[in-house]
Amino acid sequence: METKLKVAIVGSTGYGGVELIRLLASHPRAEVTSVTSSSSAGTPISQGFPHLTGIHEELLDDVTPETIKAKADVVFLATPAGVASKLAPQLLEVGLKVIDLSGDYRLKSPELYEEWYKKPAADARYLEQAVFGLAEVYGDNVRDAAFISNPGCYPTATLLGLVPAVKEGWIDPATIIIDAKSGVSGAGRGLSLGNHYAEINENFKAYKLNKHQHIPEIEMVLSDAAGKPVVTTFSTHLVPMTRGIMSTMYATVQGERSASDFIELYQRYYEGRRFVRIRPEGELPSTKEVWGSNYCDISFAVDKRTGRVTIVSVIDNLVKGAAGQAIQNMNIMMGWDETLGLQFVPAYP
């Protein structure tokens, strides 16, 4: 039998970490050999996640590079902001490949990171090494990389919906407005008043207006696509559901373009990329239709009266927005088919 790639997950007791465990359990060429947690080392992971009973019963390892190196070839960092900036260099120095799901290495400017994340930035040498892993846009850069920075959940849904139109000059980037909504799991497993059932149930609220940490990440990629600086309005909302993100985006159309024109453009741009599904004209996607999967579904509506296009993009925030895309990046990094171990049909209803 072929030897499987050995994988460690740091931050295994969060939603992103446990989603990596779920997805990798079905991967034909990789296996989880170490699950680690600095706060729960020595306890079985199934104690915190009983749904893993009989599947993953091992004790959580302590987070030390030497311990991880002895058990793994690749490390996923599913940690809060500020942790990977210190840990990733240590793991890279002992020869491990690293895929970071936090935001610590997405922004190349240390000053920009500190402004938006309110934490000390990572060492500039490692910021330069990290490849931004938006797989459908930068997949060629990911191949053979040793250090990947996985995009955020909001940026993934938003950028997949905007990049082709911006790159081709079909929309005016100065007019882009992004209206994004997320399920509660996007806030992580930690307790806070805003995530309590009584606060979320039958409620719908905006948060972090004009100061969400994903704003500079979105603008970084859009500026790259446009070939000039792009500034956007990005508004986030919390909705009373567990999983899912919907980004609804508005922009002024450049030239005479119909919804069918946008569909053809995006089908060409994402040709061969199995996880982006462009919906037929007049068919709008919903978050339930990608639930539990690595798909991003995109649709368009052009309003000739206003001269604007509305682009709707949906993902599962824990899969395509986190763990699924991280595994997709691992597949590309290893030279495998990017769909390996990710060919899940969305769970419906």
Side-chain angles (χ1 to χ4, degrees), residues 6 31 66 68 130 155 179 202 223 228 237 261 290 302:
K6 295 180 290 184
E31 62 178 339
E66 293 74 22
I68 296 170
D179 179 26
E202 297 186 37
S223 297
K228 61 182 180 181
H237 305 78
D261 291 333
V290 295
V302 173

Side-chain angles (χ1 to χ4, degrees), residues 13 35-47 57-63:
T13 54
V35 286
T36 75
S37 170
S38 58
S39 60
S40 304
T43 63
I45 190 168
S46 57
Q47 181 174 304
E57 300 271 7
E58 62 267 46
L59 301 182
L60 290 159
D61 292 327
D62 195 12
V63 184

Side-chain angles (χ1 to χ4, degrees), residues 12-30:
S12 305
T13 54
Y15 289 142
V18 81
E19 191 73 348
L20 282 166
I21 292 172
R22 179 180 79 87
L23 299 178
L24 287 166
S26 301
H27 200 289
R29 300 186 68 175

